[in-house]
Every structure is written in structure tokens, then in C-alpha cells.
Amino acid sequence: MTEVIVTGANGLIGSVFCDQLASSYNFCKLDISNPTKPVDITKADSIEEALKGSDAHFLVHFAAFTNVTAAWEQTDDVDGSAYQVNVVGTQNLVEICNQHQLHLIQISTAYVFDGEKPTPYSELDPINPIEWYGKTKALAEAVVQEKAEHWTILRIDQPFRPDRFTKLDLVHKIADDLRARTLSGQFTDHFVGPTWIPDFVKVIDWVLRTSQTGLFHASSGEQWSNFELAKQIQQIIGSTTQIQSSLLNEYLQSHNRPYQKNTALSTKKLIAQLDFELTPVVQALAQTQF
Ligand SMILES: NC(=O)c1ccc[n+]([C@@H]2O[C@H](COP(=O)([O-])OP(=O)(O)OC[C@H]3O[C@@H](n4cnc5c(N)ncnc54)[C@H](OP(=O)(O)O)[C@@H]3O)[C@@H](O)[C@H]2O)c1
């Protein structure tokens, strides 16, 4: 089986990727919590050591500092873990990919945009991150685009799994809060582009199968307000809890952390080339175990 190197293989998305494609690829996991062979991507020699003897042609890079609020608390701190993992870690991987002739598949985010565009963002829209997590991911994208010899960048937004994971995704959080009757007011003026992780895994598999390079948006391509998404989840789980609506614009008046108002992504470029159809969010939610 073809060997594929993976960072962040134990995370929300990386773990689905490794499970779903376990019979197609042999995964070499660069894993910081491996008790015998930990690999910290912020340390170049630790990655180099782990790749000795590998004959892989691809490296799928999921590992990241993903806590947006914790990253915001580190704003402008280049010694902080958000910058170190997201930027320095990616720089290290780019160098190693170039040395080993590896095609780097970089997982990125809609948070590279400022969220001011009312409709889904295309790959041609200029990036303008408004908080530190988005800035570090934008810097990582720049390193990949400027320095990597073979690369693909896949941007996603609000990924959700078919099952429950230790780190809850947005749709499982909403379902839990509905059941516990603790769901706060849901924004009618905040829009997201949910990403069904099993489809996203198929998109990465498509890149592995076709060696496609370049920048692609790889969410569902749909745009949902938090309020409409919560109502859809409510219907699926059969909850009778009343969902209150609220406004991000009002919430922002008493909160300092910046929020993008819209992170939905257009997938027109992707679906023009993809050899399978993306699952509509309503169908994906119906397949989700809540
Ligand atoms: N989740 C989202 O809402 C979202 C949205 C858009 C884009 N993305 C992007 O999608 C990718 C995957 O996100 P995710 O939500 O699956 O992430 P996650 O669940 O937070 O997992 C992150 C992974 O990175 C690993 N990691 C952290 N620091 C490391 C280091 N110094 N060296 C090696 N590995 C390290 C962690 O290892 P341990 O588990 O061993 O600590 C973990 O496996 C990221 O690039 C993220 O930016 C995520």
C-alpha cells in the first residue's frame, strides 16, 4: 500500500481521515503524543528522525493549534504555541517536504478571511485575517505557496463528524445544548460553511489519487446561519426546546475577541474537477450520530 505521512492524526479531522482510508494507504503518523516516538513539528530534527526510511510521496498536514480564543490571547506572540505550531511547524514541514520530494497537503481555514463578504468566499478573494489564529494560518499558507515545491492547500470551515469525538464539533455542541436546554441565543447574522468530514476525507483522497495541486475550498459549499443550523439539528434529534435568536452584532458590543461574520466558502472550483458529488448538509446531518 502507498505510504502517506500524516500530522495531527489523532485530531478531530485527522482521526476520521486515518480510519476512513485505513484500507487504501499505509499511514506514517507524526504524532506528538506517541509515548515511544513523539514528533513535535516545531522541532525540525524530530520530524527528520521520524521520516528516516520512509518512501512516501505525500504528507497530509492536519496538526495545528486550533483553539481560536486561546490563540487570540497570544496575539503577536511569535514565541507562543499558536505561532510556533501553525507557522514554525509548517515551515519545518515545507523544508522537509522539499528535501524528500514530498507533495504537501496543507489543511487551512476560512478564518484567513475577514468575514465581511456577505456571500461565500472564492479562492480568488483576498485574505485578510482579523484574529491571531487566522493570521497564523494565513502565514502558514504563505510559506506553503512561496516555498513548497509540490503543494495543495484545502480550506474548510466548521468541520463536523458523523460520530461523537472528545473535542466536540459545532453540530454536536448544538445538539448537546438543545438536549440540556442550555442552548444560548443563536445568531441570525453569523454565517458558516459546514464541512462534512467524511466528504472532506474523500477530497483529500482525490488529491492523493490525482496529485492535484493548488488552492481549493473544500467545505460543503453551503452557507448557514447559526440559527438555521440549530433549527435543522433540532428537527433531526426531535428536540422541542425553543431556540432563541440573537445577533452577533450585539454580542460583539460586549466582547473583545473579533469574530468573522461570514466564513462560508464557495466550492465551485473544486466541484468542477471532483469525480464525486458532495453530500448536502441536510443529508450529512441526517447521517450524524447525535
Ligand atoms: N476544527 C475546526 O473547526 C477547523 C476549521 C477549519 C480548519 N481546521 C484545520 O484543520 C486541521 C485539523 O484540525 P482539527 O480540528 O482536526 O485539529 P485538532 O483536533 O485540534 O487536532 C490538532 C492535532 O495537532 C496535533 N499537534 C498539536 N501540536 C503539535 C505539535 N507541536 N507537533 C505535532 N502535532 C501537534 C495534536 O496532537 P495531540 O492530539 O497529540 O495533541 C492533534 O492531533 C488544522 O490544520 C486546522 O487549522 C480546523
Side-chain angles (χ1 to χ4, degrees), residues 7-15 30-34 38-43 46 61-68 81 84-86 89 106-111 133 137 154-161 165 167-170 195 197 200:
T7 71
N10 297 323
L12 179 83
I13 308 171
S15 55
L30 306 187
D31 177 7
I32 194 168
S33 46
N34 183 317
V39 179
D40 180 348
I41 61 165
T42 68
K43 311 268 185 296
S46 132
H61 179 27
F62 294 102
F65 186 100
T66 56
N67 183 327
V68 181
S81 40
Q84 286 295 312
V85 176
N86 295 353
Q106 170 78 6
I107 311 306
S108 194
T109 170
Y111 284 28
Y133 167 74
K137 293 294 286 185
L154 301 173
R155 288 188 190 133
I156 54 169
D157 186 37
Q158 295 300 346
F160 66 103
R161 295 171 60 108
F165 189 61
K167 178 177 118 174
L168 286 185
D169 56 42
L170 176 65
T195 305
I197 296 176
F200 181 50

Side-chain angles (χ1 to χ4, degrees), residues 10 16 27 39 51 68 71 80 104 133 143 166 242 255:
N10 297 323
V16 180
F27 295 117
V39 179
L51 292 190
V68 181
L104 174 63
Y133 167 74
V143 170
T166 37
Q242 178 77 22
H255 289 80

Side-chain angles (χ1 to χ4, degrees), residues 67-248:
N67 183 327
V68 181
T69 302
W72 175 68
E73 285 158 4
Q74 299 175 16
T75 297
D76 294 334
D77 179 5
V78 295
D79 296 322
S81 40
Y83 185 93
Q84 286 295 312
V85 176
N86 295 353
V87 185
V88 175
T90 303
Q91 272 165 352
N92 289 336
L93 290 167
V94 165
E95 279 167 26
I96 279 160
C97 284
N98 289 346
Q99 281 163 24
H100 291 257
Q101 287 293 296
L102 290 165
H103 178 150
L104 174 63
I105 303 176
Q106 170 78 6
I107 311 306
S108 194
T109 170
Y111 284 28
V112 296
F113 295 114
D114 59 20
E116 292 301 319
K117 185 180 176 183
T119 53
Y121 283 93
S122 92
E123 292 82 351
L124 297 175
D125 285 316
I127 64 170
N128 183 30
I130 57 169
E131 41 66 45
W132 191 232
Y133 167 74
K135 282 181 188 165
T136 61
K137 293 294 286 185
L139 287 166
E141 283 193 2
V143 170
V144 172
Q145 297 194 24
E146 287 160 22
K147 303 238 172 81
E149 285 162 20
H150 309 281
W151 60 268
T152 310
I153 296 175
L154 301 173
R155 288 188 190 133
I156 54 169
D157 186 37
Q158 295 300 346
F160 66 103
R161 295 171 60 108
D163 59 351
R164 172 172 291 275
F165 189 61
T166 37
K167 178 177 118 174
L168 286 185
D169 56 42
L170 176 65
V171 306
H172 283 92
K173 266 187 217 145
I174 291 173
D176 282 7
D177 287 349
L178 276 168
R179 288 197 177 113
R181 299 182 179 275
T182 54
L183 190 70
S184 53
Q186 294 292 292
F187 299 136
T188 52
D189 60 346
H190 180 240
F191 297 91
V192 296
T195 305
W196 175 232
I197 296 176
D199 272 4
F200 181 50
V201 168
K202 285 168 72 181
V203 171
I204 302 172
D205 181 41
W206 168 74
V207 174
L208 293 169
R209 289 187 282 109
T210 61
S211 295
Q212 184 72 53
T213 55
L215 169 65
F216 292 91
H217 289 176
S219 65
S220 59
E222 298 180 26
Q223 183 178 37
W224 287 73
S225 71
N226 292 69
F227 184 71
E228 290 300 328
L229 190 64
K231 278 205 322 197
Q232 187 64 41
I233 295 166
Q234 179 189 41
Q235 194 185 320
I236 287 168
I237 66 171
S239 157
T240 53
T241 307
Q242 178 77 22
I243 301 176
Q244 304 295 332
S245 67
S246 64
L247 291 171
L248 176 64

